[in-house]
Amino acid sequence: MAQVVRDVIGVGLVLGLGALPAAAQSMALPAADAVGIGRSGAQVAYGYSLEAASTNPAILASLKERTGFFLSAGLELSATQQSMESQQSLDSVLKTRFSYDRNRALPAFGLGIHVTPTFSLGLKLDAPYLRHGRLQDDAPSRYLGDGIDLSTRRLEGQAAWALNPNVSVGFGLGAARLSFASSSVMRLSVPNDPTQPLSGTNTVNGLVEQRVGQSSDKVVPSYSLGLRWALNPRWTFGFVHQSGLKGELGLKSALQDPNLGIYTTDGLSRSANLGTATRAAVLLAGVGTTAGTSTMELPSQTTLGVRHRVLPIMTWEADLRWTSAGLRMPGFATIQTPSGTVSAPAGLPRGKSHLALSASTELDLGKYWTLRAGLTFDQRSIEEASAEPLLGGARTSAFSFGAGYKFGGGELSLGYQYRQSEDQDTRRLDGIWSSTGFKPGLTRIRMEGMGHLVALGYKVTF
């Protein structure tokens, strides 16, 4: 009895940490379905759970019912903000600019069928990675990229074998659809004769600021491998490896929106010489665009989990997840002018390998109600020296809760997760783009962010 009390207190302390301020928002989603979101993704050893089988295919072999499926629909909301410190007179003020394009739909599906007592099949649809946002036109970091739209939809067929009553293995094989778009803002020199290259006699008349974007979709293969080992009715271990997603995108680029302003040659003022706007229109009508590098890579994930049934009505799990260093985004598009190619001063940063710790608990309240809660702590996925707002990558934490209610022969579940970005200070994002090119500034910029995941799902077993 004393051991049970200690276990309950330990779980309570772990979940209590979720009430502390969260630290950052990750590109990787914990899950796409309502139950998985409510657990913060900590479920690789959660036997008897069809939703957990979407993460670990080996769990299909431990499901109690012969057949089951679930449908889930959700919404992901996220935003970033940049606060630029500047000096006006003798007072220090913060100018804050928020991102927009904040919402994305989040569908999920799962199916499990016992073909024989030792062999099971399944099917899942989820979204392992998601990142999006557009900066305001005057954001200080717009020259290093001002928009991103990355989404993944993964569909895998699954199979699982029970090697004995306590050990099962499983795998998933399928494909993922990668959708990617990015944009950046550049300044082009406007010569007196915009149809000819710059020269000693064809000097710069002013600058025009212009956004250029690119986009593409690609279907790539994916797989997952899983193991579940039940030591006894109370303790279970789980393991799963989910492959990375890599493809060569057939990006298409184009100018976006009208020009964002006409500037003087020093890049500081929006006023320009008489006739610069007309010359800029002629220049933009004759330029071309070229997509950036085409390789896109999203990292693999390997997770170890342990589950403990503290009481007949209460279960907790802790997962340790390792994410590989395989994060790489395509380079930004470029603009070709009569005077040469204009490109962004820098591309999106590469990722690094990191660890994450997740914990969840589930409480069965009688015949109808189930309560869930979870939390996650994730290490930095992008080096601090490369920090920027589009990919984020700071240390991550999140807190979630959920509930399930059984009726109509199935279970209706709600899951919610709150995520907030760690504050990051940098001096590499600000800069001035004059007729001689981009020069980094020294202004300190603070980046912040937050996000929410919410989903509603329904599961039927028979």
Side-chain angles (χ1 to χ4, degrees):
M1 183 63 182
Q3 179 62 43
V4 171
V5 172
R6 286 195 294 268
D7 289 336
V8 172
I9 294 174
V11 173
L13 290 174
V14 169
L15 292 178
L17 292 175
L20 298 176
Q25 176 181 339
S26 173
M27 179 187 297
L29 299 183
D33 64 275
V35 173
I37 290 172
R39 295 172 178 161
S40 281
Q43 55 181 3
V44 301
Y46 238 103
Y48 316 130
S49 171
L50 179 59
E51 292 85 359
S54 294
T55 303
N56 184 356
I59 292 176
L60 288 170
S62 66
L63 299 180
K64 295 180 179 180
E65 296 80 7
R66 176 180 174 84
T67 303
F69 71 89
F70 71 83
L71 291 170
S72 179
L75 189 66
E76 190 269 353
L77 307 93
S78 60
T80 63
Q81 67 183 61
Q82 299 178 61
S83 300
M84 183 171 64
E85 185 180 65
S86 63
Q87 295 292 329
Q88 293 186 355
S89 301
L90 297 178
D91 297 324
S92 179
V93 298
L94 288 177
K95 298 180 178 180
T96 301
R97 294 167 176 85
F98 298 88
S99 67
Y100 58 99
D101 187 27
R102 302 178 177 182
N103 307 332
R104 288 294 182 275
L106 197 61
F109 169 77
L111 171 69
I113 302 173
H114 281 306
V115 180
T116 70
T118 59
F119 177 62
S120 302
L121 293 175
L123 182 68
K124 75 164 185 181
L125 171 69
D126 65 356
Y129 293 97
L130 188 63
R131 187 76 179 178
H132 54 91
R134 172 66 67 86
L135 306 182
Q136 293 181 5
D137 291 344
D138 63 346
S141 65
R142 63 190 183 276
Y143 303 126
L144 305 180
D146 82 322
I148 189 171
D149 189 355
L150 165 67
S151 66
T152 56
R153 294 287 185 265
R154 181 171 58 188
L155 180 67
E156 287 186 359
Q158 300 172 303
W161 290 265
L163 305 182
N164 60 53
N166 297 325
V167 179
S168 61
V169 295
F171 76 90
L173 184 63
R177 183 174 183 266
L178 310 179
S179 296
F180 177 80
S182 67
S183 63
S184 62
V185 173
M186 304 175 188
R187 286 185 177 178
L188 313 180
S189 294
V190 182
N192 289 317
D193 183 353
T195 64
Q196 299 299 317
L198 289 166
S199 66
T201 57
N202 190 28
T203 58
V204 177
N205 188 262
L207 302 171
V208 59
E209 191 164 294
Q210 178 64 50
R211 178 178 290 113
V212 59
Q214 59 185 4
S215 62
S216 180
D217 295 325
K218 180 75 172 183
V219 176
V220 300
S222 70
Y223 70 88
S224 57
L225 304 172
L227 168 70
R228 179 179 179 269
W229 177 25
L231 278 72
N232 54 54
R234 287 184 176 269
W235 289 95
T236 305
F237 288 97
F239 164 85
V240 67
H241 174 77
Q242 296 178 327
S243 68
L245 305 174
K246 182 178 180 180
E248 298 295 326
L249 305 183
L251 293 166
K252 296 182 179 179
S253 61
L255 300 182
Q256 294 182 345
D257 310 319
N259 75 74
L260 302 177
I262 305 298
Y263 293 81
T264 54
T265 56
D266 61 8
L268 297 175
S269 174
R270 289 182 67 96
S271 60
N273 295 332
L274 184 65
T276 302
T278 302
R279 293 184 178 93
V282 175
L283 174 69
L284 293 175
V287 303
T289 64
T290 301
T293 54
S294 61
T295 302
M296 178 177 174
E297 186 174 358
L298 297 172
S300 63
Q301 295 184 329
T302 303
T303 307
L304 291 172
V306 57
R307 163 193 165 274
H308 181 210
R309 182 172 293 278
V310 182
L311 300 168
I313 64 169
M314 184 178 183
T315 300
W316 66 266
E317 175 166 341
D319 289 0
L320 182 65
R321 183 181 69 250
W322 179 78
T323 301
S324 72
L327 173 63
R328 179 166 52 166
M329 294 291 109
F332 292 114
T334 59
I335 300 177
Q336 285 72 49
T337 74
S339 301
T341 298
V342 181
S343 58
L348 293 171
R350 298 286 296 270
K352 69 170 188 173
S353 59
H354 59 283
L355 289 170
L357 176 64
S358 301
S360 67
T361 188
E362 190 164 288
L363 185 65
D364 291 326
L365 299 179
K367 183 178 179 181
Y368 298 102
W369 285 97
T370 301
L371 300 182
R372 304 179 180 96
L375 58 89
T376 297
F377 298 97
D378 207 339
Q379 292 181 328
R380 177 179 290 276
S381 61
I382 292 175
E383 295 289 353
E384 187 174 4
S386 303
E388 51 77 49
L390 293 188
L391 290 185
R395 288 175 296 174
T396 298
S397 66
F399 172 70
S400 66
F401 63 85
Y405 179 72
K406 296 179 177 64
F407 78 98
E411 182 181 19
L412 180 69
S413 295
L414 174 69
Y416 169 78
Q417 184 184 61
Y418 171 74
R419 306 186 291 168
Q420 183 178 3
S421 291
E422 177 188 38
D423 294 350
Q424 300 182 88
D425 291 336
T426 180
R427 297 183 184 273
R428 62 176 294 271
L429 299 182
D430 184 34
I432 297 297
W433 196 319
S434 67
S435 59
T436 59
F438 177 80
K439 296 180 180 179
L442 297 176
T443 302
R444 183 173 66 91
I445 295 176
R446 171 162 293 183
M447 297 181 295
E448 304 171 70
M450 63 181 298
H452 306 268
L453 286 175
V454 61
L456 187 67
Y458 190 69
K459 176 175 65 177
V460 177
T461 57
F462 46 89

